[in-house]
Amino acid sequence: MKNTEVEGIVLRLTDFGEADRIVTLFTLEQGKMQGVARGAKRSKKRFAGALEPFAHLKVQLHLGTGLATLSNADIVGIFPGIRADLARIGCAAYACELVERLTPEDEPAPRLFRLLYCYLERLNDAPASPSDRRFFAVNLLKILGYQPELQVRGVSAETASLLSRAMQTGRFGAVVFPEPLLREADLLLNPAIDLHLDRELKSLAFLKECGV
């Protein structure tokens, strides 16, 4: 059995049996991976609040056959600004669900890790922005090789230009979509995402209620 340490963001937590939890991480070193946290449901002390959605962690793992085992998790950051606001929680959940659903296991994607981390950092520091959410989505599609064709019917040249700029700049907040153009952007982004999903995103319905 091999021991390793990874830097990761918690994408999802799933109860496993009476005492354990399955932790889905997106890691800098290995991409998406899963591990079991033994006794995490019963003992609050063992992982000391580290196993929370969106948490940025340093995790020690035992790798063997089957699921990895989390032996320890140290908190790098938990983004408290996100946890204080429902719209920010919804946007963070959307980003983590997209990464979980669209990425294969054990394939490093450091650019995508940085994009996810920067979006969570942005949500921690600023109100949830509809423009930032589209910025994240189009850059995620670009990194994964699923970049949509921008010149299509029903989408104005202005919207196409904004999406193109969003893929060229690396800074959240640099591109702002006026309200009508958000809907046009979705005409490109949502089908490009849905093409690679086997079911709807749970987080998207919540975001629509929040108006983000």
Side-chain angles (χ1 to χ4, degrees):
M1 183 173 283
K2 175 185 174 185
N3 295 333
T4 190
E5 181 179 84
V6 296
E7 178 184 353
I9 292 167
V10 177
L11 299 180
R12 185 160 63 99
L13 297 159
T14 308
D15 290 342
F16 184 61
E18 292 185 1
D20 305 337
R21 303 188 88 180
I22 301 293
V23 185
T24 304
L25 296 162
F26 194 67
T27 71
L28 178 62
E29 298 85 357
Q30 299 188 43
K32 186 176 71 177
M33 60 189 307
Q34 288 189 325
V36 58
R38 304 286 183 195
K41 286 169 63 180
R42 286 183 175 166
S43 172
K44 300 297 183 184
K45 293 182 180 179
R46 185 164 177 220
F47 293 100
L51 302 184
E52 296 289 341
F54 330 132
H56 181 203
L57 308 175
K58 284 289 184 75
V59 180
Q60 286 75 48
L61 297 166
H62 295 303
L63 302 177
T65 56
L67 277 177
T69 300
L70 278 71
S71 58
N72 191 49
D74 295 320
I75 297 171
V76 180
I78 59 167
F79 304 109
I82 293 175
R83 300 171 194 280
D85 180 80
L86 281 177
R88 296 187 198 189
I89 290 171
C91 287
Y94 171 81
C96 287
E97 188 178 6
L98 275 182
V99 171
E100 184 200 0
R101 299 276 300 278
L102 293 179
T103 58
E105 291 200 9
D106 300 320
E107 286 193 15
R111 287 176 63 207
L112 184 54
F113 181 89
R114 287 192 292 272
L115 176 70
L116 177 60
Y117 172 79
C118 288
Y119 187 35
L120 295 177
E121 193 174 48
R122 171 78 170 173
L123 286 168
N124 186 62
D125 296 336
S129 158
S131 292
D132 285 347
R133 184 165 73 79
R134 274 68 173 191
F135 182 100
F136 175 85
V138 75
N139 277 286
L140 174 138
L141 289 168
K142 178 185 177 183
I143 290 168
L144 293 177
Y146 302 151
Q147 179 177 330
E149 172 58 51
L150 298 182
Q151 308 301 327
V152 298
R153 290 178 61 184
V155 175
S156 67
E158 187 179 359
T159 298
S161 175
L162 287 171
L163 287 168
S164 179
R165 280 177 51 205
M167 289 185 284
Q168 291 166 11
T169 179
R171 186 166 59 86
F172 283 94
V175 178
V176 177
F177 292 81
E179 180 67 32
L181 302 191
L182 289 169
R183 291 188 289 273
E184 284 192 11
D186 286 343
L187 292 175
L188 285 172
L189 298 175
N190 290 346
I193 290 168
D194 291 344
L195 188 63
H196 303 282
L197 298 176
D198 56 1
R199 62 189 185 281
E200 291 184 358
L201 293 165
K202 292 180 180 179
S203 53
L204 196 54
F206 177 76
L207 281 174
K208 287 177 180 176
E209 291 180 11
C210 294
V212 181

